[in-house]
Amino acid sequence: LHEPMYLFLAMLATIDLVLSSTTLPKMLAIFWFKDREINFYACLVQMFFLHSFSIMESAVLLAMAFDRYVAICKPLHYTTVLTRTLITKIGIAAMARAVTLMTPLPFLLRRFHYCRGPMIAHCYCEHMAVVRLACGDTRFNNIYGIAVAMFIVVLDLLFVILSYIFILQAVLQLASQEARYKAFGTCVSHIGAILSTYTPVVISSVMHRVARRAAPHVHILLAIFYLLFPPMINPIIYGVKT
């Protein structure tokens, strides 16, 4: 009965490992050795992996919400619904969605001439930070970046919230209070992972729009926080629960 959740946890752990490995070595090189240069094509590769695996992480968290929905709302069908075949298909779909959405970005950025200096105000290559250095019409890049971010966050969060509405309805219909606590207790780790992933993103987005005049290091620290906080906290959340 625990196998599907463990498979999703393996996916989440792999994604977190790739996200950290993509950015952390270069960050440490900047802080420790003052190595503040990166090849343009290496920057594009880092950006592709960073954004692709962030989208995959969102998809896996959505899949885990579906897992909790089936486990609590349709417990007798759990093993027949969440088969290894379905879990494999979910993993492939999460990867395909991320790669499809992010593949155009490096090619869109390659066509620009960069005349606004060689320095980005980040510890890693983030799409909008690179776009700001480009000359020419960058409207399509701006619109595409915002549209993808809104599509992923809004759509995935909407389905997660819907799953938990159905879960809450099912839990409240249970006869005993002990059964309610036990059923909802199986969701605590997943809720913690969602909060650790989405809360820093929302805070950073709000800060970019509300506190534009804040010191640059504030935005840089927030960007590092929302990138590295989930991979740090997820093993604690799920490790303790497991």
Side-chain angles (χ1 to χ4, degrees):
L1 289 175
H2 292 293
E3 187 180 19
M5 180 52 84
Y6 289 156
L7 291 172
F8 287 130
L9 283 176
M11 291 182 198
L12 190 66
T14 305
I15 290 165
D16 283 344
L17 192 64
V18 173
L19 270 175
S20 301
S21 302
T22 303
T23 53
L24 200 55
K26 185 59 185 177
M27 280 187 200
L28 294 176
I30 292 168
F31 295 134
W32 287 349
F33 308 115
K34 308 300 180 186
D35 180 15
R36 295 177 180 176
E37 291 184 5
I38 186 169
N39 179 274
F40 178 67
Y41 293 102
C43 179
L44 294 182
V45 170
Q46 187 190 60
M47 184 193 69
F48 174 78
F49 276 95
L50 170 68
H51 292 305
S52 295
F53 279 84
S54 295
I55 292 172
M56 286 182 214
E57 184 166 43
S58 182
V60 170
L61 288 172
L62 174 59
M64 291 165 84
F66 174 68
D67 170 85
R68 292 299 84 206
Y69 163 74
V70 177
I72 291 171
C73 299
K74 301 181 185 296
L76 297 178
H77 300 283
Y78 185 71
T79 51
T80 54
V81 172
L82 277 161
T83 59
R84 279 202 171 194
T85 305
L86 180 64
I87 293 167
T88 304
K89 287 178 180 177
I90 289 170
I92 292 169
M95 188 182 295
R97 182 181 74 158
V99 170
T100 303
L101 289 171
M102 286 299 108
T103 297
L105 287 188
F107 296 101
L108 288 169
L109 289 171
R110 273 186 64 190
R111 65 194 175 97
F112 288 120
H113 175 63
Y114 294 88
C115 61
R116 294 177 184 168
M119 188 182 293
I120 58 171
H122 269 292
C123 297
Y124 54 85
C125 291
E126 191 263 337
H127 174 239
M128 292 310 298
V130 177
V131 168
R132 287 191 190 102
L133 302 180
C135 301
D137 188 1
T138 60
R139 280 179 298 178
F140 182 78
N141 286 69
N142 290 329
I143 292 166
Y144 186 79
I146 292 167
V148 169
M150 293 299 292
F151 171 73
I152 296 301
V153 173
V154 172
L155 193 69
D156 288 2
L157 262 183
L158 178 66
F159 283 116
V160 168
I161 290 166
L162 279 174
S163 296
Y164 274 98
I165 288 170
F166 291 127
I167 287 168
L168 196 60
Q169 287 176 342
V171 168
L172 292 175
Q173 288 172 0
L174 294 171
S176 70
Q177 194 170 11
E178 187 183 349
R180 290 175 196 168
Y181 282 135
K182 189 175 180 181
F184 206 69
T186 63
C187 304
V188 170
S189 297
H190 182 245
I191 293 169
I194 288 171
L195 290 173
S196 74
T197 301
Y198 286 111
T199 304
V201 173
V202 171
I203 292 170
S204 182
S205 299
V206 170
M207 283 291 291
H208 267 290
R209 283 152 185 80
V210 174
R212 290 184 179 180
R213 293 182 182 178
H217 67 264
V218 173
H219 295 295
I220 294 168
L221 284 169
L222 278 171
I224 295 170
F225 182 70
Y226 88 67
L227 182 70
L228 296 180
F229 182 70
M232 182 189 75
I233 205 73
N234 283 341
I236 299 169
I237 293 171
Y238 283 105
V240 170
K241 180 67 179 175
T242 303

